Amino acid sequence: MSRIQVTDAMRSRMLKQLAQTPSASARRPTPILRRALATAACLVLVLAGLSTLPHVVSPQPLETPIGSLTAVPTLQDASSAEALSALVGFPVSDLEGLPFLVETSTYTAYGKELAQIRCEGEGQWALLRKSIGTSDNSGDYTAYAVQYTYHLDGYTVTLKGDAEDSFVLALWNDGNESYSLRLSSGLEQTAWDHLISLNS
C-alpha cells in the first residue's frame, strides 16, 4: 500500500466521482417504500373519515311547515275534499272564488297534521293548506318585499307579495286552525278579503 502513489489526476477523478454520487440521505425512496407510504396515508384518511361518519348520518329532526318532526309524515292522496277530511281528521272544503276556472284538483294528506288542495286551470294554480294550530303551514319561506297583517272576521291575516297592490300568499288563523293560500298570480287586498271569507 505504501508504494501506491495517488497522482493529482487520480485525486481529481476520485473527488469528481464522489461529488457525482448522491448521498444516502438524498436518495429517493424505492418503489416499494413509496407504495407503503401511500397505503399508510390512505389508511389514515379512511380511519379519519370513519370517525366522523356517525355525526354525519345521525338522524336529525326534520323541519316542516308545521314544526319539528323526527320522521317524515306519510303522504296520502285523496279523491275529494271529503276523503281528505277523513284522512286528516278535520274538515277541509274545496276552494271557492278562485280567479280562474278550476280544471283539476289534487288532494294530499300529510299524515294527520296537514291537508293540501292544489287547483289548476287556465295556466294558473292555487295551493291551499290547512292544519290545526297557529303555525305558518305554507312551506313558502320567500323573503317577500311587502308583508301586511290585519284582522278580518275574527281571523288574523297576513298577506305577502312583492308589490303594495299584488299579494301572492295569504296566511290566516283564528287561534285554532291555520290556513295558507298561494296563488300563481297576485291579487290586491280587497280580492284576498273576499277569497279568505269564502274559504274559511
Side-chain angles (χ1 to χ4, degrees):
M1 292 291 291
S2 60
R3 294 181 185 175
I4 296 175
Q5 292 185 357
V6 178
T7 64
D8 289 340
M10 288 173 64
R11 182 180 293 112
S12 174
R13 276 197 310 269
M14 287 169 53
L15 289 174
K16 190 186 240 182
Q17 193 172 10
L18 283 173
Q20 290 176 348
T21 304
S23 65
S25 61
R27 288 187 190 134
R28 292 184 179 173
T30 63
I32 294 174
L33 182 58
R34 279 198 302 262
R35 278 195 294 261
L37 289 172
T39 303
C42 288
L43 185 60
V44 167
L45 288 174
V46 169
L47 291 174
L50 287 175
S51 69
T52 61
L53 190 59
H55 303 292
V56 174
V57 298
S58 61
Q60 298 293 324
L62 176 67
E63 286 297 325
T64 70
I66 50 175
S68 295
L69 299 174
T70 53
V72 178
T74 304
L75 271 65
Q76 286 184 277
D77 289 332
S79 57
S80 65
E82 293 78 16
L84 181 58
S85 300
L87 287 174
V88 295
F90 51 84
V92 185
S93 301
D94 278 302
L95 279 161
E96 295 181 39
L98 290 173
F100 59 88
L101 180 65
V102 176
E103 296 165 1
T104 61
S105 294
T106 306
Y107 306 90
T108 308
Y110 288 76
K112 296 281 187 184
E113 292 84 20
L114 179 75
Q116 175 178 290
I117 301 176
R118 181 181 173 91
C119 299
E120 297 180 43
E122 301 178 338
Q124 298 186 65
W125 56 265
L127 183 70
L128 173 74
R129 286 181 164 184
K130 182 180 179 181
S131 60
I132 302 300
T134 59
S135 298
D136 175 352
N137 60 17
S138 68
D140 185 344
Y141 302 110
T142 306
Y144 291 104
V146 180
Q147 179 172 314
Y148 179 45
T149 301
Y150 59 100
H151 293 284
L152 175 71
D153 300 331
Y155 290 90
T156 301
V157 179
T158 300
L159 298 180
K160 296 183 180 185
D162 288 322
E164 290 286 347
D165 58 349
S166 182
F167 302 97
V168 293
L169 175 64
L171 311 169
W172 69 98
N173 75 78
D174 62 359
N176 297 310
E177 297 176 333
S178 291
Y179 298 81
S180 65
L181 180 56
R182 173 80 163 84
L183 298 179
S184 55
S185 299
L187 297 176
E188 60 182 14
Q189 183 191 341
T190 53
W192 271 112
D193 289 350
H194 179 65
L195 200 52
I196 291 167
S197 296
L198 286 175
N199 293 284
S200 296

